[in-house]
Amino acid sequence: MSFDSIPIHVVPPGEPGLTGNAPPLLRELLEMVRRLLETGEPSAIDLSALPLTPADLDWLRDKLGTGEIGVTLQANGESTLNETACPGVWWVTHHNEQGAVTSQFIEVAFVPDLVKAHPRDVEIGSEYLELLVSDL
Amino acid sequence: MQGPLIDTLARRGVTRRTFLKYCATLASMMALPPTAGRAMAEAMAAARRPSVIWLPFQECTGCTESITRSHSPTIEGMIFDMISLDYQETLMAAAGHQAEEARQNAMKDNAGKYLLIVDGSIPLGHDGAYSCIGGRSNVDMLKEAAAGAAAVIAVGSCASFGGIPKANPNPTGAVSVSDLVKDKPIVNIPGCPPIPVVMTGVLAHYLTFGSLPELDDKGRPKSFYGNTIHDRCYRRPFYDQGKFAKTFDDEGARQGWCLFELGCKGPVTHNACATVKWNGGTSWPVESGHGCLGCSEPDFWDGGSFYKALSAPADPLKFAAAAAVVGAGAGVAVSVANRVKKNTAKATHETTTLADLEK
Ligand code: SF4
Ligand code: SF4
């Protein structure tokens, strides 16, 4: 059954506009990017932990722009890890299986951790390859 | 069921990335810094599960249902299955003397280290005879199990505050865990039933940091119970504008206006429903058109009708309701009107009638 069949339509109350909470985040990002360059240390901002309205988020996304790489991860719902126009700055959104956003981050890293394969998983992969080779 | 958690999860088809993603979200929900997600994932993946003894007392098994079956199969459920759950009557295969023996062994082998989970309240009337397991009263078993526990987690409103069994006139003399256990750290996870992820959050925190999360004055994890439903309710702008649904099928209800006048207890209820939602984030009570019942607060069952608007201050749900109500002119008017009604209502516990619903 879809929600459309429920005769209550929830009218979103007028979109609250910009709060002014987004611009300081750009400064913080600059610090984070510098730190990444100097020490290689990755970091992240948890967007759901901040009082940001949808308008704030749009503003931020718009400012950061779209980069060359977009990664889609299918793991218990879809996640997208999109590089912004600033290389090393990634916009990360996690959805659950119902498609709802469960958390949202801006990650500063050369490659987000989630994208890298874990050595233990690579081992499992190599075992599988060995199996394939032995069947040749 | 030995070996690190991640291997067991992998056997169930949960990949490392799924788990990492889950931990990132969990850390975010718990208002921990983003780096904590990684730390949690690492600590939990490698964790040898602590022994957990779960004692069900005067309860309806709704709490167990909420956690293990919220929707199939959740990581919450899996983490739960995979904890070394040495005693849980509903989930364990053993029964009778075997089950009681498993409990005794777990308590002996892990003395001082196991986590004790309790759901249900504990009846004290007639020496606890109202609820017994294997011929022993709940109060007796609780005292014995708590003595050797590292910490006690009270799951659900009954274990946390006495819940429905304690509701007026409390025929069995039901009390909460914290009424009886005084010398152990206790975490209350109230709700009728509680939100599954809160449970996992507390466990994750314990496994990662070796400690319990920060608690509020009622022993609830601050990260999940720090705000009221009303603080985070998406209908809040309507409340602020004084737009209230007056019946369940009027124009206001159809427009999704605030449910305050239909008895919503959101302003005095601390829980995470408005942000975490229910059924895997599908919806939650207010979103489906019904006010909050206040199920995660002490004595919610005795707060008068679920369909009477809160008065300011609300009684006996006497929280800082006054503060929440001030600010909306309409809200204040309601509260005054309601106080008059309250005064005429002599009974402390009002039964909800059809007329209340049709108000
Ligand atoms: S009174 Fe209830 S419905 Fe209205 S804004 Fe508060 S929590 Fe939401
Ligand atoms: S909305 Fe209120 S009554 Fe409903 S589950 Fe959440 S806290 Fe309990």
Side-chain angles (χ1 to χ4, degrees):
Chain A
M1 191 178 87
S2 83
F3 281 126
D4 303 338
S5 46
I6 300 173
I8 293 179
H9 55 110
V10 176
V11 185
E15 277 287 273
L18 293 169
T19 60
N21 289 338
L25 288 183
L26 289 183
R27 269 199 200 107
E28 201 177 327
L29 277 175
L30 178 59
E31 281 303 307
M32 289 162 71
V33 171
R34 283 192 185 137
R35 193 162 57 229
L36 180 70
L37 283 174
E38 281 159 24
T39 68
E41 191 196 327
S43 44
I45 296 176
D46 181 352
L47 292 173
S48 16
L50 301 169
L52 299 169
T53 59
D56 288 333
L57 288 174
D58 285 347
W59 182 88
L60 207 55
R61 262 218 110 133
D62 192 53
K63 287 282 172 223
L64 290 173
T66 308
E68 293 170 319
I69 295 188
V71 180
T72 315
L73 167 72
Q74 299 296 343
N76 221 354
E78 191 175 276
S79 296
T80 49
L81 302 97
N82 293 326
E83 200 176 33
T84 64
C86 319
V89 177
W90 302 75
W91 193 286
V92 180
T93 309
H94 296 309
H95 299 265
N96 64 12
E97 275 170 330
Q98 284 75 34
V101 175
T102 54
S103 54
Q104 201 159 198
F105 302 90
I106 299 178
E107 250 185 88
V108 176
F110 292 113
V111 181
D113 269 333
L114 214 46
V115 176
K116 293 182 205 157
H118 190 279
R120 181 72 197 103
D121 292 337
V122 177
E123 268 173 40
I124 294 170
S126 81
E127 281 163 24
Y128 178 61
L129 274 175
E130 274 166 28
L131 209 72
L132 290 182
V133 169
S134 72
D135 277 354
L136 285 181
Chain B
M1 282 209 280
Q2 281 305 308
L5 179 63
I6 193 75
D7 290 348
T8 329
L9 284 175
R11 279 200 291 278
R12 299 269 189 117
V14 177
T15 66
R16 191 178 300 272
R17 287 198 181 94
T18 305
F19 189 59
L20 254 178
K21 169 175 166 175
Y22 178 76
C23 290
T25 303
L26 192 58
S28 167
M29 281 178 185
M30 295 185 76
L32 295 167
T35 44
R38 194 149 191 101
M40 267 185 180
E42 273 162 21
M44 284 219 285
R48 301 277 163 160
R49 280 112 30 213
S51 171
V52 173
I53 296 177
W54 181 321
L55 295 178
F57 293 146
Q58 210 165 224
E59 45 90 31
C60 69
T61 316
C63 297
T64 314
E65 289 285 328
S66 168
I67 285 147
T68 56
R69 285 179 203 265
S70 43
H71 109 314
S72 62
T74 56
I75 298 191
E76 275 95 38
M78 289 192 208
I79 288 177
F80 228 82
D81 271 1
M82 264 155 271
I83 270 162
S84 180
L85 197 50
D86 293 325
Y87 182 87
Q88 215 288 7
E89 282 173 8
T90 313
L91 303 178
M92 73 196 303
H97 292 300
Q98 269 183 346
E100 297 310 301
E101 203 183 303
R103 183 171 54 85
Q104 291 294 350
N105 290 343
M107 286 197 305
K108 207 167 349 109
D109 298 347
N110 306 291
K113 288 185 298 214
Y114 60 84
L115 283 177
L116 176 63
I117 297 180
V118 175
D119 65 333
S121 64
I122 306 99
L124 296 182
H126 291 295
D127 290 329
Y130 284 107
S131 178
C132 295
I133 299 168
R136 294 184 58 200
S137 70
N138 290 170
V139 51
D140 200 24
M141 286 177 81
L142 173 64
K143 285 191 172 153
E144 180 191 46
V152 189
I153 304 178
V155 174
S157 292
C158 299
S160 301
F161 306 129
I164 294 177
K166 181 173 174 276
N168 205 11
N170 191 0
T172 65
V175 297
S176 69
V177 171
S178 52
D179 286 333
L180 294 170
V181 179
K182 299 290 180 196
D183 55 351
K184 297 283 169 175
I186 299 176
V187 186
N188 286 332
I189 305 184
C192 193
I195 299 177
V197 75
V198 181
M199 183 94 226
T200 338
V202 171
L203 287 171
H205 197 283
Y206 185 74
L207 293 174
T208 310
F209 306 109
S211 63
L212 298 169
E214 207 188 334
L215 305 176
D216 71 3
D217 62 335
K218 293 198 176 74
R220 304 174 288 201
K222 272 191 183 163
S223 43
F224 292 104
Y225 296 89
N227 290 312
T228 63
I229 297 288
H230 184 66
D231 286 336
R232 307 300 295 268
C233 178
Y234 76 100
R235 297 196 186 208
R236 179 59 182 271
F238 290 124
Y239 175 94
D240 294 337
Q241 294 160 20
K243 288 183 174 160
F244 301 103
K246 310 275 182 201
T247 69
F248 282 107
D249 60 355
D250 69 359
E251 191 50 27
R254 272 185 282 273
Q255 295 292 328
W257 288 359
C258 170
L259 301 165
F260 182 85
E261 293 191 13
L262 288 169
C264 181
K265 306 291 183 284
V268 294
T269 305
H270 295 79
N271 206 347
C273 307
T275 44
V276 177
K277 302 193 181 180
W278 281 91
N279 296 326
T282 306
S283 179
W284 63 291
V286 168
E287 192 172 343
S288 59
H290 194 287
C292 165
L293 308 180
C295 78
S296 58
E297 293 293 337
D299 302 327
F300 80 101
W301 202 259
D302 291 326
S305 166
F306 290 145
Y307 302 99
K308 287 256 155 47
L310 278 173
S311 54
D315 193 38
L317 287 164
K318 38 184 168 333
F319 321 100
V325 171
V326 173
V332 174
V334 170
S335 69
V336 171
N338 208 51
R339 207 174 313 151
V340 177
K341 261 190 251 161
K342 269 257 150 65
N343 289 340
T344 52
K346 287 277 179 291
T348 46
H349 183 86
E350 290 175 45
T351 317
T352 302
T353 60
L354 200 58
D356 284 329
L357 286 162
E358 287 167 348
K359 200 158 71 113

